[in-house]
Amino acid sequence: MSVEPSKTVAARINSALGDVAATVADPTVAVAVVDQAQRVLYVTGMKVGTTTVTLTDARGVTRDVPVLVEYAAGTVADQIGLRVTGNPASTQYLREAIAQAVSSAATLRSGATVGVVPETIPVHGDLNVDDRTEVDVQVQLNGNGYLPVTGVTHVIVENVALPAIQPARLLVSDYPERLTANGVLFTARLDRSQAQRFLYYHYNPGNEPARRILLKAVNTSNAPATVQLIEGDAGPGVNEMEVGHLSTKRFLVRSARNEGRVVTIAPGTTANLVDHLLPPQNVLSSILQLRLVTGDPLQLALVAQDALAPLDQSIDQTQLLAGGAPHARGVYPVPTFYFNTDYDVDGDDLDIPIGQLPLPNLRQGEALSGDYGVEQVVEVVIDNMTRGPKAIALYANPRGGRATGTFIIDGTLVQAHALPAFSRFKIWQETIKPGTFRRIRIVTMPEGGSSYPLRLTFAQDDGSIAPGAPGSPVY
């Protein structure tokens, strides 16, 4: 039998004759009482530990009952509300957002963990704007030295009508990239005049303790504040290229769908918009888009702390962590590059550089080389004024080193495994009819962990392997 201190559990007694006596080996750990009429054993926990209750009936037949007294790993929230955005909010995103919300709503003891499997959440379709749905989510809490807890959280999900976020600037936290201490990594102010994109990318070396990264939003006013945020988070993971790729892919897909969360921060409180675990020898990354919808300006702080430290511990925002090789940390003026041009099928190849133009830092610090976190929107009109059809292709050509890639081409997600430096692989191909033109739109972003710049080239099809075909790194 398992019981918490100061709580009581019951067990049925079967096959006993006459009255049953209960003797506790260590009554400082637990006490036992038998209800003779109902044949029920009640055990109350006194302190953490183990003991044995020996039951003896009128025949002298005995049964030893092991008793474990421990605290429960935590408590599961009964019901929560979740507001999302999306045109519509996809089933996959809803499951991930619900799992995150349910996990955050659980109350955990130090060292305990919460388990929610997104694939088991009963969401069976996309959620349109202004619609709502309700689901029951199975939750399990575990921890070494704690009693496991299984429960259900009822979640009411509402898709709120909000326009797409158009950020005015890019915030980057990549310094110190290697964490050797806890503290504040980045601070900023979020007000209603400017939405912002925020990229963070950090690594926890193997000789360091387990950490977590928190993005704190401090509301010092006497009115609530509402924040809309779109997240492309990835990690923790040991493969920095994979983490950078997943973060970029999730952000570009969710941004295209306007999939995000709407969070209300009560007056005079601090909310953790992000809670990202970072074990040793792991890297994590996230690209966020943040907009203050209502309320007074908020102070944002990205914080590194011990994994088991309280989530609400106070922080000193006046001192930023430093150390190690210089990397980008600051505010950059251009969150999106736009390329609008024409390509003549009989003309020269068209090269479009991605991640080649370093951005100046509006704060003191490094320029942003590689344009990581900068969205690249390419719109090209392909003209074929010849008398015959022309097979045209778009090639990806890494120029700095091995690089993964994510491209949304006319609404279709195209991805590339790590491409060798100076290789050239097709990511799109099409035959343009004579006397016509074709307008194409590509959205991409340099990916953390990869070596940019990368060149996109429009050229006549050279007959090389098609994207998605066996042997192609493009899928």
Side-chain angles (χ1 to χ4, degrees), residues 13 74 144 197 207 220 228 243 268 300 346 376 447:
I13 301 172
N144 188 23
R197 185 177 302 143
N207 58 348
T220 58
Q228 179 190 6
V243 170
L300 302 177
D346 264 357
Q376 321 271 321
E447 303 196 333

Side-chain angles (χ1 to χ4, degrees), residues 270-310:
T270 297
N272 292 319
L273 299 179
V274 169
D275 180 1
H276 213 155
L277 287 174
L278 183 55
Q281 290 186 312
N282 276 253
V283 66
L284 54 70
S285 178
S286 188
I287 307 166
L288 303 103
Q289 216 128 266
L290 302 129
R291 174 169 59 199
L292 184 61
V293 181
T294 64
D296 292 332
L298 301 173
Q299 295 299 319
L300 302 177
L302 189 71
V303 177
Q305 68 175 50
D306 286 339
L308 299 182

Side-chain angles (χ1 to χ4, degrees), residues 158-468:
E158 178 187 5
N159 189 342
V160 181
L162 285 174
I165 301 175
Q166 301 295 332
R169 56 186 184 176
L170 171 66
L171 316 178
V172 176
S173 175
D174 189 26
Y175 176 78
E177 187 172 272
R178 296 172 61 91
L179 300 180
T180 57
N182 294 327
V184 179
L185 296 163
F186 193 88
T187 61
R189 183 176 185 267
L190 181 65
D191 59 38
R192 282 182 285 171
S193 67
Q194 289 184 325
Q196 302 178 43
R197 185 177 302 143
F198 182 31
L199 162 68
Y200 65 81
Y201 185 94
H202 294 285
Y203 170 70
N204 198 20
N207 58 348
E208 292 292 318
R211 291 190 164 95
R212 68 189 335 129
I213 302 297
L214 301 174
L215 178 60
K216 294 180 173 292
V218 183
N219 182 8
T220 58
S221 75
N222 57 4
T226 304
V227 177
Q228 179 190 6
L229 68 157
I230 294 172
E231 301 163 88
D233 58 317
V238 296
N239 186 330
E240 61 181 13
M241 293 185 75
E242 180 182 28
V243 170
H245 170 67
L246 288 175
S247 176
T248 307
K249 181 192 79 168
R250 289 171 180 167
F251 174 77
L252 289 177
V253 169
R254 292 172 180 176
S255 178
R257 296 172 174 166
N258 196 33
E259 287 181 332
R261 293 185 289 134
V262 180
V263 179
T264 298
I265 304 170
T269 65
T270 297
N272 292 319
L273 299 179
V274 169
D275 180 1
H276 213 155
L277 287 174
L278 183 55
Q281 290 186 312
N282 276 253
V283 66
L284 54 70
S285 178
S286 188
I287 307 166
L288 303 103
Q289 216 128 266
L290 302 129
R291 174 169 59 199
L292 184 61
V293 181
T294 64
D296 292 332
L298 301 173
Q299 295 299 319
L300 302 177
L302 189 71
V303 177
Q305 68 175 50
D306 286 339
L308 299 182
L311 297 180
D312 59 351
Q313 70 178 6
S314 60
I315 57 171
D316 179 7
Q317 295 192 26
T318 61
Q319 296 293 326
L320 294 180
L321 290 175
H327 287 271
R329 176 168 68 187
V331 179
Y332 301 91
V334 183
T336 304
F337 284 150
Y338 293 94
F339 301 89
N340 293 277
T341 188
D342 295 325
Y343 169 62
D344 189 327
V345 298
D346 264 357
D348 296 333
D349 294 350
L350 173 63
D351 290 328
I352 299 172
I354 304 296
Q356 186 170 306
L357 303 174
L359 290 178
N361 198 337
L362 299 181
R363 294 182 180 177
Q364 183 177 358
E366 296 291 310
L368 183 62
S369 299
D371 298 334
Y372 299 98
V374 179
E375 186 180 47
Q376 321 271 321
V377 180
V378 179
E379 293 188 348
V380 176
V381 176
I382 305 172
D383 294 306
N384 181 11
M385 296 297 105
T386 69
R387 296 183 177 181
K390 291 288 184 178
I392 303 301
L394 176 61
Y395 300 88
N397 173 215
R399 308 298 296 176
R402 294 175 70 241
T404 57
T406 301
F407 312 91
I408 298 179
I409 303 177
D410 286 342
T412 298
L413 177 64
V414 178
Q415 302 176 74
H417 294 296
L419 305 176
F422 301 102
S423 63
R424 180 168 132 144
F425 287 95
K426 283 183 197 171
I427 61 173
W428 173 86
Q429 63 182 18
E430 192 170 299
T431 298
I432 311 301
K433 295 179 180 180
T436 65
F437 70 90
R438 165 75 156 88
R439 190 185 305 275
I440 184 172
R441 188 175 192 267
I442 304 124
V443 179
T444 186
M445 178 181 286
E447 303 196 333
S450 292
S451 297
Y452 276 69
L454 176 144
R455 184 183 296 164
L456 294 179
T457 301
F458 283 91
Q460 294 194 28
D461 194 330
D462 60 6
S464 59
I465 188 169

Side-chain angles (χ1 to χ4, degrees), residues 145-163:
Y146 297 123
L147 299 178
V149 176
T150 300
V152 174
T153 299
H154 186 71
V155 186
I156 303 172
V157 187
E158 178 187 5
N159 189 342
V160 181
L162 285 174

